[in-house]
Amino acid sequence: MMQIYIIAFLALLGRSFAIPQNIPGGRRFPEGSRGDRAGHEPGSSAAEKDFINEELLCSGDMSTPYNETCWNTLKVAEYIVKWEQEVTKCPQGNNTCIQTGCKSNEPWSSCFLRLATGTPDYNCTQINIGHCTLEGFPLKDPNSLDMPQNRYVVRNLFAINNFFVNWYAAMQFATSAAVRAVPKIIATLDPEKEADTTLEAILTALTIGLPFLSLPAVGALVPAATGAVGTLFVTALQQAPSVTEAIWKSDDESTQVVQMGELASELDQLNGKVGEMLDRGLAIIMTDVSTFAKFASSGSFSGPDAISIPKETAKLDLAFKAHLVTKAMSANDWWVYYGPPDNADGTWSNSTMESNAERYVCNTTPKDNICDLIDSHGVPPMCQPEDWSIYTSNVTHRAYYPSQQQGRNDLPSAHLLHAIADNEWGSLEAMMDGAYDCEVNKGGPSPGSAFQISEDGRFSLTCLSQLHIVNGCPDVATKGWQEGCNWFLERHKDPPLFRNGECV
């Protein structure tokens, strides 16, 4: 440890050394007093102490552990943007100029790595395993005043490329797993193979899988570490909306209609398309310095541990399955009715699986929040049909009853909910609450739209669920919940379920 402190101290003493013009380097910090950065009065002992601590924590010494706070402490974003603006752009063929400047048409990231490390072999602009490694790297000028900033720029370039490479590898596994699940989903929910969608919707549902795992509604189904990576990725995307736009860009080829039952034959095409999408996102980060600065702005890629997901990441296909299941349900005339509000002001806050079990006299499956009449005998309580079942959301406390329309009864409602939960075909919470938000608050999903990108680059996964959802209690305010909830309590509104308090 003493050696680290000594090296860091020597690095401070070496500030007066000159460095070659245009090689990544310059000021140690942009203008600003020590007191300003530390939050203390300039010149105070507290300010001086914090400044020294920052120097040690965020030093250029290669043996000092990386730290997430150093991205902002060192003002790396401002540094790299300014460097890109000022570095010499060399004419083609000028070998002398490129010793300190960028080659003609050379991406800024490749130029920076070449000048900072003295090695021309790094290419972080594409998903290309082995060409942008996280292994230890040398920096060309250890005495540079900007050694700390250079170190963190290079670290972030490698870490972001590593993230995309591992995400792509995990997507190969996830896509194969998703395609293997298709036959059972189709056999259960779409036996006549009536459901189709667009290639764009399929690709979106596959690649949106990582952000999907960050949703609170999905949290119980995924490891905490995986959900955390999803959250960090969503944060980076929201800071750099151009990356979102690059990955999920529409093209004419992706609008082709695909039969869901035939997805297995499309596996190679799907893998190739997924690779193209991820490459587009990585490329804009590595070729546009402002996008890089924004994407890395949270400091998450500056920490001691690389942000990554393992190749065989479980549940990365959940978004795809949820989209496929709800699309198949819609194609086969499934509607979902939401139940009566619990409060006088028309909101849901007190409803739970347990309270609904008491209210509707149904059997509970605690792990799935499902309450059903699948084991009832004789006349079902409350006059519900034998297949009546509801799912209660822990997030919104709404109760949902799925029902097949047009006189169809391919699958009992209870069997449907249990099939989704038991096979982990998606989060019922995300499916039901998402459908409610999409249908009621957004006016319903447009065909094939799995998510939306707003003008500021933020995206919503609300309409990933393609279910048709309606109010099952339209007359509850005037007739009470028994007579006012005919849609929710039974598949058919007529004849009335209750007359003079009796089941008819």
Side-chain angles (χ1 to χ4, degrees):
M1 180 61 71
M2 181 62 69
Q3 182 182 17
I4 294 175
Y5 279 75
I6 292 173
I7 294 174
F9 181 67
L10 290 175
L12 296 180
L13 293 179
R15 285 179 167 190
S16 59
F17 296 159
I19 56 174
Q21 184 68 26
N22 286 332
I23 288 180
R27 295 192 316 276
R28 173 67 173 79
F29 288 103
E31 279 76 4
S33 72
R34 298 176 181 181
D36 290 339
R37 290 187 293 103
H40 303 295
E41 288 297 320
S44 69
S45 60
E48 189 70 20
K49 181 179 178 181
D50 284 354
F51 176 73
I52 294 173
N53 287 339
E54 285 181 2
E55 292 288 309
L56 296 173
L57 180 67
C58 302
S59 75
D61 174 22
M62 298 298 289
S63 64
T64 303
Y66 291 103
N67 188 283
E68 292 90 340
T69 64
C70 292
W71 177 271
N72 289 320
T73 297
L74 297 171
K75 299 187 177 181
V76 180
E78 294 93 325
Y79 167 76
I80 188 58
V81 170
K82 190 173 189 298
W83 174 87
E84 195 277 336
Q85 292 171 346
E86 296 179 350
V87 69
T88 303
K89 312 301 190 295
C90 301
Q92 188 170 1
N94 190 329
N95 293 331
T96 301
C97 176
I98 63 174
Q99 300 302 312
T100 56
C102 293
K103 299 176 183 177
S104 175
N105 299 320
E106 184 179 28
W108 77 266
S109 57
S110 299
C111 176
F112 190 94
L113 287 170
R114 178 174 58 80
L115 296 179
T117 67
T119 304
D121 299 331
Y122 291 119
N123 178 12
C124 296
T125 62
Q126 294 179 314
I127 297 172
N128 196 345
I129 298 174
H131 285 257
C132 188
T133 176
L134 266 175
E135 299 300 322
F137 55 87
L139 290 184
K140 184 176 180 180
D141 186 1
N143 295 317
S144 166
L145 300 186
D146 289 314
M147 178 73 167
Q149 284 91 340
N150 293 346
R151 182 183 180 221
Y152 274 91
V153 171
V154 174
R155 168 69 175 182
N156 275 263
L157 288 172
F158 285 174
I160 291 172
N161 180 276
N162 179 74
F163 169 80
F164 273 84
V165 167
N166 288 337
W167 182 23
Y168 175 68
M171 283 304 307
Q172 309 304 294
F173 176 79
T175 302
S176 298
V179 170
R180 286 196 301 272
V182 168
K184 188 172 183 179
I185 294 175
I186 296 299
T188 305
L189 302 176
D190 187 30
E192 301 300 322
K193 297 184 178 180
E194 299 178 29
D196 58 35
T197 187
T198 64
L199 179 60
E200 179 179 14
I202 292 296
L203 290 168
T204 298
L206 282 169
T207 50
I208 211 70
L210 185 54
F212 184 72
L213 298 187
S214 71
L215 296 180
V218 185
L221 298 177
V222 300
T226 304
V229 173
T231 300
L232 293 173
F233 182 45
V234 168
T235 299
L237 289 175
Q238 291 177 338
Q239 295 296 325
S242 56
V243 179
T244 304
E245 294 167 359
I247 295 174
W248 290 287
K249 178 181 70 173
S250 296
D251 59 62
D252 294 337
E253 186 178 349
S254 295
T255 60
Q256 71 182 74
V257 175
V258 177
Q259 294 296 322
M260 290 186 175
E262 299 174 359
L263 283 178
S265 62
E266 303 285 341
L267 180 58
D268 289 341
Q269 181 185 10
L270 291 176
N271 281 333
K273 285 288 185 181
V274 166
E276 292 174 11
M277 294 171 72
L278 272 55
D279 249 341
R280 291 199 300 262
L282 178 59
I284 195 169
I285 294 170
M286 297 299 173
T287 58
D288 182 79
V289 71
S290 295
T291 299
F292 167 78
K294 293 174 183 175
F295 192 80
S297 63
S298 69
S300 298
F301 294 98
S302 298
D305 300 315
I307 296 177
S308 183
I309 53 176
K311 179 178 180 180
E312 297 186 3
T313 298
K315 310 296 188 295
L316 199 56
D317 59 350
L318 272 182
F320 168 81
K321 291 177 181 175
H323 182 71
L324 179 61
V325 165
T326 56
K327 194 78 175 174
M329 287 174 64
S330 293
N332 286 271
D333 301 313
W334 283 94
W335 286 17
V336 175
Y337 298 102
Y338 58 91
D342 295 285
N343 303 325
D345 62 358
T347 61
W348 295 263
S349 64
N350 301 317
S351 177
T352 63
M353 182 193 64
E354 291 78 13
S355 67
N356 284 333
E358 182 177 348
R359 187 179 198 182
Y360 303 122
V361 196
C362 51
N363 308 304
T364 63
T365 308
K367 71 180 181 69
D368 300 323
N369 268 25
I370 296 171
C371 199
D372 61 55
L373 299 174
I374 200 169
D375 295 323
S376 63
H377 301 283
V379 178
M382 300 299 296
C383 308
Q384 292 106 319
E386 286 278 354
D387 76 336
W388 187 87
S389 64
I390 58 171
Y391 168 76
T392 305
S393 167
N394 280 330
V395 175
T396 62
H397 299 285
R398 294 189 196 96
Y400 300 95
Y401 164 48
S403 171
Q404 205 167 16
Q405 305 300 299
Q406 308 299 328
R408 298 177 61 169
N409 190 21
D410 299 341
L411 185 70
S413 168
H415 292 178
L416 168 76
L417 289 178
H418 284 294
I420 294 172
D422 294 345
N423 291 291
E424 295 187 340
W425 287 341
S427 161
L428 283 169
E429 221 148 49
M431 289 181 184
M432 302 298 178
D433 286 339
Y436 177 90
D437 290 338
C438 184
E439 187 87 23
V440 177
N441 297 334
K442 296 182 179 297
S446 58
S449 63
F451 82 129
Q452 298 78 40
I453 304 175
S454 62
E455 291 184 0
D456 63 356
R458 296 179 181 271
F459 58 86
S460 167
L461 302 179
T462 292
C463 293
L464 180 74
S465 176
Q466 299 277 294
L467 291 174
H468 180 50
I469 194 164
V470 293
N471 185 356
C473 299
D475 303 317
V476 68
T478 56
K479 297 182 180 179
W481 74 272
Q482 289 184 347
E483 292 190 18
C485 290
N486 283 333
W487 287 102
F488 178 71
L489 292 173
E490 168 60 278
R491 286 182 300 165
H492 310 292
K493 191 172 183 178
D494 296 314
L497 287 174
F498 293 87
R499 186 173 297 159
N500 298 324
E502 295 182 0
C503 179
V504 295

